[in-house]
Amino acid sequence: MMRITGAVAVSAALALSAVACGDGDSDSGNGNEVTIGFMGDLTGENSGLVIPPKQGAQLAIEQYNATNPKVKIKFKTYDSQGKPEQATTLAQGAIKNDKIAGLIGPAFSGESQSVAPILEEAKVPSVSPSATNITLGEKGWKFWHRVVADDAVQSDGAANFLVNSVKAKKIFTVSDNQDYGKGLADAIGKAAGAKGVQTQTDAVDDKATDYSSTVNKINQFKPDAVYFGGYYAVAGRLFKQLREAGYKGKMMSGDGSLATGLIEGAGQENAQGALLSCGCLIDAEGKTNPKAKKFADDYKAKFNSEVAIYSTEGFDAATAFIEAVKAGKTEPEDINNFLKTEDIQGVGKQIKFAENGELAAKDIFIYEVKDNKLPLLGNSNEAKVS
């Protein structure tokens, strides 16, 4: 087994400073150019999940423009704060006013559900680096793509890990009752149940701060593991309250919680040993391929931080568009047709899309909180709890 290590090194301060500096908008200057947008939560409470892919995409486009190509790419950011209604308005403006030729994002599943039909009608292609809801690939959309495995793949990988490595016989799933979180938690429960595991489930209000009702249900059930579907802000509060209420079992969440904000929210002591599953690969040392090492070095030199969750997926999503432009495709429909034929090695994984826009690669990786970092344990089929 190839083992690699990685850490998420994005703080709220970095996220806010990056946006404040306006480094998401790079003016490509005179001459022919196309505009590629990036949409996601850049200043909200879960921005720690979105700044890394935004920076990865920015780096890819800046490196492309530095080659002085015939057609440059203008990178335009849209801060949805993860809100579907805000994303909808931004998408309409991006199409009508900015004439985007493609969109990297939206970052989250809820906003993707709202924005994709608008892009579909306008025939503008999108590539999300991080939206994982299962139903996104079932809509029949022709202009939608993503460079990360969906929650069906993640749930199978996480369930296999909980059963085979954690040896869990009883699992309690919790969600924030939103598109992404509920979909993931439900899929985890279904996959675990199919393996003979006893399951119970509950939901919490993502706007609330007191989860004592759910915590009491968990302690009464006495599960070997709790799996939370949602984002790190809520996961941190839930995990903190679980530990303070005496829960001793394993705590786990998905890609939406793979950020140091989880540790900050739960408290470092409470967060120790928490597990995270993700279709993303954080490879700062370049153990998987030479491109990953060069990207990690370039990323650190540019942003003074280590590669983090979805950094590589942001870079790969941008690369998908860059390759289309390099091939002379500058109109949205032509770019979309090119995306359907791509088959290249990206920084994180092979960039190849199925007919429905899904990524061909299906790997899921497991991370574990250790001190204030999130090192990788390995592929979900082989990873062992430390």
Side-chain angles (χ1 to χ4, degrees):
M1 177 182 68
M2 181 173 290
R3 294 180 62 84
I4 67 173
T5 59
V8 177
V10 177
S11 66
L14 172 61
L16 291 173
S17 66
V19 175
C21 292
D23 69 347
D25 297 326
S26 51
D27 189 350
S28 58
N30 298 323
N32 294 330
E33 70 175 21
V34 296
T35 299
I36 301 296
F38 179 97
M39 182 180 292
D41 181 357
L42 296 174
T43 57
E45 69 172 0
N46 291 304
S47 59
L49 298 172
V50 183
I51 295 296
K54 173 258 181 186
Q55 292 183 161
Q58 178 188 337
L59 179 62
I61 290 172
E62 287 186 357
Q63 289 181 342
Y64 165 75
N65 285 337
T67 66
N68 196 29
K70 180 179 179 181
V71 178
K72 289 190 174 184
I73 296 176
K74 182 176 182 179
F75 186 51
K76 181 74 175 176
T77 58
Y78 302 91
D79 181 11
S80 66
Q81 295 188 317
K83 301 174 181 177
E85 66 278 7
Q86 192 161 310
T88 298
T89 301
L90 289 171
Q92 292 167 340
I95 295 166
K96 182 178 180 180
N97 302 324
D98 299 328
K99 311 295 183 185
I100 60 170
L103 180 70
I104 300 168
F108 294 162
S109 297
E111 58 187 343
S112 293
Q113 297 274 16
S114 298
V115 168
I118 297 171
L119 298 175
E120 195 76 8
E121 183 177 357
K123 297 183 177 180
V124 174
S126 66
V127 180
S128 177
S130 51
T132 57
N133 185 272
I134 298 167
T135 63
L136 293 175
E138 301 172 348
K139 304 292 187 180
W141 293 324
K142 301 299 183 183
F143 289 79
W144 172 90
H145 313 77
R146 58 180 160 201
V147 288
V148 65
D150 70 17
D151 290 332
V153 178
Q154 183 175 184
S155 63
D156 283 343
N160 283 337
F161 172 76
L162 286 169
V163 172
N164 298 329
S165 183
V166 177
K167 308 297 184 184
K169 303 297 184 184
K170 299 172 68 175
I171 297 174
F172 196 107
T173 62
V174 184
S175 83
D176 59 3
N177 218 25
Q178 301 301 309
D179 285 340
Y180 158 70
K182 187 176 188 306
L184 179 57
D186 288 350
I188 291 286
K190 183 177 180 181
K195 299 177 185 297
V197 175
Q198 293 183 54
T199 65
Q200 282 192 17
T201 188
D202 198 21
V204 297
D205 182 349
D206 62 340
K207 302 296 190 298
T209 58
D210 181 1
Y211 305 141
S212 56
S213 175
T214 296
V215 169
N216 289 337
K217 292 177 183 178
I218 291 171
N219 279 331
Q220 288 172 9
F221 184 57
K222 296 181 172 58
D224 301 303
V226 173
Y227 192 101
F228 173 72
Y231 298 108
Y232 66 80
V234 177
R237 294 196 289 269
L238 176 64
F239 289 0
K240 180 177 188 292
Q241 292 174 40
L242 275 171
R243 287 298 189 231
E244 290 177 346
Y247 177 69
K248 303 295 185 183
K250 287 294 184 181
M251 302 183 302
M252 189 171 183
S253 190
D255 51 308
S257 298
L258 185 55
T260 53
L262 170 70
I263 303 172
E264 294 164 5
Q268 187 167 320
E269 183 178 352
N270 294 324
Q272 293 309 295
L275 300 160
L276 293 309
S277 59
C278 188
C280 60
L281 180 61
I282 303 171
D283 187 5
E285 297 183 2
K287 296 289 183 68
T288 55
N289 66 82
K291 286 186 176 182
K293 173 61 175 172
K294 183 181 185 304
F295 167 65
D297 291 344
D298 292 347
Y299 187 94
K300 188 170 185 178
K302 170 68 178 179
F303 302 110
N304 194 33
S305 64
E306 301 289 346
V307 288
I309 183 171
Y310 299 129
S311 298
T312 56
E313 284 71 23
F315 190 94
D316 283 351
T319 298
F321 283 116
I322 290 168
E323 291 298 316
V325 174
K326 286 167 66 175
K329 313 301 180 183
T330 58
E331 294 299 321
E333 286 191 74
D334 293 335
I335 291 174
N336 190 66
N337 289 333
F338 185 87
L339 291 177
K340 302 298 183 185
T341 68
E342 278 190 324
D343 188 1
I344 59 174
Q345 176 61 49
V347 170
K349 51 188 78 77
Q350 197 75 8
I351 303 174
K352 181 180 181 180
F353 301 107
E355 183 63 28
N356 63 352
E358 294 282 15
L359 189 69
K362 302 296 184 183
D363 289 322
I364 297 298
F365 299 92
I366 305 296
Y367 300 81
E368 183 178 31
V369 175
K370 185 175 182 180
D371 298 326
N372 64 342
K373 298 183 181 298
L374 295 155
L376 180 68
L377 293 182
N379 187 289
S380 62
N381 294 322
E382 302 171 340
K384 302 296 181 184
V385 178
S386 62

